[in-house]
Amino acid sequence: MASAPYLRRSDSVFTLDLDLLFALAPAMAGAVCAGGWHAYALLFLGAGVCALLSQTAARLRGELLPDYGFDALLTGLLFVLTLPAGAPLWSAAAGAALAAAVGELSRRTGLYLLPAAAARLLLLPVLPAAPPASSFLWGAAGGAMGDFAGIFLLLGAAYLAARRLSRKILQPAFLLSAVLAQLPFGSGLSPMGGLLPFAALCLLPVPGVGPMTPLGQLLAGVLFGALAGLSRGVGFAEPGVLLCVLGMGLLRSRFDGVGFFFAVRRMDISAQP
Amino acid sequence: MSCRARGALDFSIPPAEWLPLPPPPEVCLTHHGADRPDAGPTVRAGDAVLLGQLLAPGAGPYAPVFSSVSGRVRAVSEQTILLENDRMNTRSPRLKAHATADELAPDELRALLGSFGLLPPGAADRPLVLNALVPEPGLDDGFLLREPERVFGGLRLYLRACRPAEALVAVGRRQQEVRRLAVRCGFSPRVLSGRYPQAREPVLLQALFGRRLPPGGCAVLSPEALGAVWDAVYDGLPPVFCEVTLHIQDRPSNLHFRVPAGTPAEHILRAAREAWPVTLAGGLLTGRPLAARGEPVAGLSLCLSCLELPEPRRPARCLSCGRCAAVCPAGLWPALLRSLSRRRQQSFGAPRCLRCNLCAAVCPAGLPVWYQTAKKEALHGVGAVSPSE
């Protein structure tokens, strides 16, 4: 018998995922602008393979994926958006399979690894990212598909902000410190591109990535943003950003611990005898 | 989950319907003789009892127990007294009704209310608050709307007996009718937002006084308690009735009954012709499933909520969204306390938690409230909850 409460807000993981999908829609439109019909095929293939494999793994465990495997579908889409527009079709399928495997691993170990980011990181040796070609707002054709149209990413971010799903401290702190950290590396380096805007605006709001306390968000955002900026400065843009996103998921409880330590002074949280 | 509100929790107040109820064949009253022998029962099985007769004297924190029906004692156990109802409602000759309150001096009035267990210890001189807020979403203020004379009359009697430094009537923004009644009865109510869980004492006092009061720093009374004060003086009756609100899923209005204390819940449900898979003692946010349908109702007021069997919802992993912290009225971080409590196998933060369940109600991952989990794990070991939670 389930315990109280018997009245819940209608928000669930499914509705959060749905909101994220709506927020990703402009980025997907940007990807189609960058890659045409090929991008469509990559998106469908990635989402389909990831959902199918996650569903199969759940069936083998004797379970059903909650919310019809919508979470896995979203993971597939996120992964494909980190690929370059000209990526071969096999890379979408292989990466989606890797993402499904990482998701399964994450479920079993309790460690939070953002599957899309982990899969892209694993595929980087065989499918390196090309450096972004032009400006942030439109036409960064050489980088990841998700980065193609910054203006579209901002639209998605505005939607998440309107739905109060954006991380108010984490995202700006990450983006700002990344841009500042790469300034010393020369004026020829574009402040954006190399998965940085996509990670800040689309990967960080994914449920589970990043700490929840304000101080934890600030610390994680500044630290990982600086690391991402530095890695971009030394020529490891995509791996650096992806590692930072993964680190934020893995270490979120540590950062929350720091934030909690300062918040705890205002609370009487002594244990009940 | 069958009881869902769109967007936010539903704070609307449903209207109320009042229904007559046949007298119960037997009632079961709880006493505290096991905890404190001098608070134990003074009757034995087979004794005849009258309505309002003292069955167990109060001692320390325990209020006295009075017979809510007339009849015979069927059984006395370590915790309960089972009475057979003769349906005559023959009153105890010791009960004395007063035509006017002027017959009683304030000291006598205080002594009378104290003997009925209606005055908390040290009630005199403390600020008094009539908590007219609706306690939980789905419940209503039907008792106050139906019995304003008893409630506000009881408040006047209480003021006369205790002469508190300050008396406040707290009303929710949506309770326009209650506000009008309070004004008509000569009280100027303090209008609060009334959003759940403002009816909880610490939140209510913070809203009224702008600061945290020490425990017992203020007497907070419910409309039902003031109704009992009125009954004590004008009917001479100790608190032997329970005002029951029956909240039924998908029904637009709540049902209200006035039943003798100790009436089995099943008797009320049968009279209302309601047969639902789950009946809760309490509201939808904090209620607990009845241990048995025959569980007796206790206290001055109680809500019974009837609903479908909730769909089993497998809790997901914490999403670190921070919504639980955003809604926590005690300013706690439930998700972090939950993880801390899991690690140390102790219920951290429990003394400050108001048990409002709001954190669990807004959690998109469907995680249970942390102190319940921590307590469960302390009893059964950490393995009782899967690591994916």
Side-chain angles (χ1 to χ4, degrees):
Chain A
M1 163 64 100
S3 58
Y6 296 90
L7 181 68
R8 287 181 185 274
R9 215 155 80 163
S10 54
D11 282 357
S12 64
V13 179
F14 177 69
T15 60
L16 294 186
D17 283 347
L18 201 62
D19 277 326
L20 205 62
L21 182 71
F22 290 146
L24 277 182
M28 286 192 277
V32 171
C33 291
W37 288 105
H38 185 67
Y40 267 125
L42 287 173
L43 286 167
F44 273 106
L45 194 62
V49 167
C50 194
L52 193 70
L53 289 179
S54 300
Q55 192 73 48
T56 309
R59 285 283 169 96
L60 289 176
R61 284 200 310 270
E63 295 172 5
L64 276 179
L65 272 189
D67 305 322
Y68 315 105
F70 194 77
D71 188 33
L73 189 122
L74 198 64
T75 296
L77 289 177
L78 276 172
F79 166 73
V80 172
L81 288 173
T82 62
L83 290 175
L89 287 178
W90 67 262
S91 63
L98 275 174
V102 172
E104 193 63 24
L105 181 77
S106 175
R107 188 190 306 273
R108 283 174 191 270
T109 57
L111 295 172
Y112 192 84
L113 286 161
L114 185 62
R120 182 68 187 107
L121 195 67
L122 291 171
L123 264 192
L124 268 178
V126 288
L127 197 70
S134 54
S135 69
F136 161 65
L137 285 180
W138 183 264
M145 284 195 287
D147 268 349
F148 178 74
I151 186 85
F152 282 179
L153 288 182
L154 288 175
L155 271 179
Y159 173 79
L160 287 179
R163 297 280 297 151
R164 298 185 178 187
L165 295 174
S166 51
R167 307 273 177 138
K168 287 175 194 157
I169 301 175
L170 182 69
Q171 288 176 269
F174 178 78
L175 208 52
L176 196 65
S177 63
V179 171
L180 290 177
Q182 67 188 29
L183 282 181
F185 292 93
S187 58
L189 206 60
S190 163
M192 289 298 181
L195 266 186
L196 191 60
F198 183 72
L201 300 176
C202 293
L203 294 183
L204 294 191
V206 172
V209 178
M212 72 173 98
T213 55
L215 184 62
Q217 285 191 36
L218 183 70
L219 291 176
V222 169
L223 178 71
F224 284 113
L227 286 175
L230 289 174
S231 63
R232 193 168 187 281
V234 296
F236 291 102
E238 289 207 1
V241 170
L242 291 169
L243 276 171
C244 287
V245 171
L246 289 176
M248 236 180 275
L250 283 173
L251 298 176
R252 67 176 188 182
S253 59
R254 303 287 167 200
F255 284 100
D256 269 335
V258 177
F260 189 54
F261 176 77
F262 286 97
V264 89
R265 288 162 188 255
R266 287 182 282 121
M267 294 190 271
D268 168 23
I269 60 148
S270 52
Q272 202 171 33
Chain B
M1 182 59 56
S2 47
C3 298
R4 276 197 177 180
R6 275 192 200 150
L9 296 173
D10 185 9
F11 293 100
S12 58
I13 305 166
E17 283 179 45
W18 292 81
L19 290 181
L21 195 72
E26 56 183 29
V27 296
C28 184
L29 300 164
T30 307
H31 66 82
H32 295 277
D35 301 322
R36 199 166 156 158
D38 54 344
T42 54
V43 289
R44 291 179 184 172
D47 287 357
V49 290
L50 300 170
L51 175 67
Q53 181 181 328
L54 183 68
L55 301 180
Y62 304 119
V65 181
F66 298 92
S67 174
S68 57
V69 294
S70 63
R72 193 163 295 279
V73 179
R74 183 177 278 180
V76 178
S77 75
E78 274 193 356
Q79 292 181 329
T80 58
I81 305 168
L82 187 64
L83 303 178
E84 193 179 299
N85 187 4
D86 64 5
R87 295 180 169 85
M88 304 294 285
N89 274 347
T90 314
R91 290 165 61 108
S92 165
R94 291 191 175 190
L95 303 180
K96 188 185 173 196
H98 301 271
T100 65
D102 298 334
E103 291 175 17
L104 293 165
D107 287 347
E108 291 173 316
L109 194 54
R110 205 159 47 233
L112 173 72
L113 299 180
S115 68
F116 284 172
L118 290 169
L119 282 189
D125 305 326
R126 282 187 297 168
L128 166 72
V129 175
L130 163 56
N131 183 1
L133 300 173
V134 177
E136 265 188 55
L139 303 191
D140 59 42
D141 44 17
F143 175 74
L144 209 156
L145 293 178
R146 187 188 181 221
E147 307 272 0
E149 190 188 1
R150 278 175 67 204
V151 175
F152 290 107
L155 180 57
R156 280 205 199 89
L157 290 170
Y158 192 96
L159 295 177
R160 187 153 178 266
C162 295
R163 300 183 188 284
E166 196 175 5
L168 299 168
V169 179
V171 183
R173 199 172 291 143
R174 293 189 178 196
Q175 297 171 276
Q176 290 96 340
E177 192 58 35
V178 175
R179 275 151 67 184
R180 270 196 289 275
L181 283 171
V183 171
R184 203 184 302 161
C185 293
F187 296 95
S188 51
R190 288 280 297 274
V191 182
L192 304 173
S193 74
R195 281 184 69 85
Y196 181 80
Q198 203 171 42
R200 301 259 163 164
E201 199 171 312
V203 188
L204 175 68
L205 298 182
Q206 174 83 39
L208 285 173
F209 298 103
R211 62 193 159 91
R212 286 181 70 190
L213 293 186
C218 184
V220 181
L221 294 181
S222 65
E224 290 83 3
L226 290 172
V229 168
W230 169 275
D231 292 347
V233 175
Y234 294 111
D235 284 344
L237 273 176
V240 291
F241 292 105
C242 180
E243 309 290 343
V244 176
T245 303
L246 192 57
H247 175 74
I248 298 157
Q249 184 183 328
D250 301 334
R251 192 182 166 121
S253 58
N254 289 340
L255 302 177
H256 285 257
F257 304 93
R258 189 177 199 217
V259 299
T263 300
E266 189 176 16
H267 179 76
I268 302 167
L269 296 171
R270 205 186 302 135
R273 295 194 184 86
E274 295 292 347
W276 289 77
V278 182
T279 306
L280 309 175
L284 294 172
L285 280 171
T286 59
R288 60 166 178 84
L290 286 179
R293 285 175 66 86
E295 190 175 319
V297 298
L300 292 170
S301 64
L302 182 82
C303 168
L304 294 174
S305 304
C306 299
L307 62 154
E308 294 280 358
L309 200 63
E311 294 162 19
R313 185 175 177 183
R314 193 180 165 191
R317 200 158 38 176
C318 176
L319 304 176
S320 293
C321 62
R323 287 174 192 216
C324 51
V327 297
C328 180
L332 299 170
W333 287 86
L336 293 176
L337 287 169
R338 184 172 179 273
S339 111
L340 182 70
S341 302
R342 281 166 64 95
R343 280 206 301 274
R344 306 266 180 93
Q345 297 211 16
Q346 279 179 303
S347 202
F348 282 93
R352 240 186 98 182
C353 173
L354 301 174
R355 273 75 167 157
C356 66
N357 265 358
L358 212 47
C359 51
V362 300
C363 179
L367 289 172
V369 69
W370 93 86
Y371 73 86
Q372 283 178 353
T373 314
K375 210 180 281 178
K376 212 179 288 174
E377 286 174 3
L379 287 173
H380 305 296
V382 182
V385 177
S386 74
S388 64
E389 280 184 35

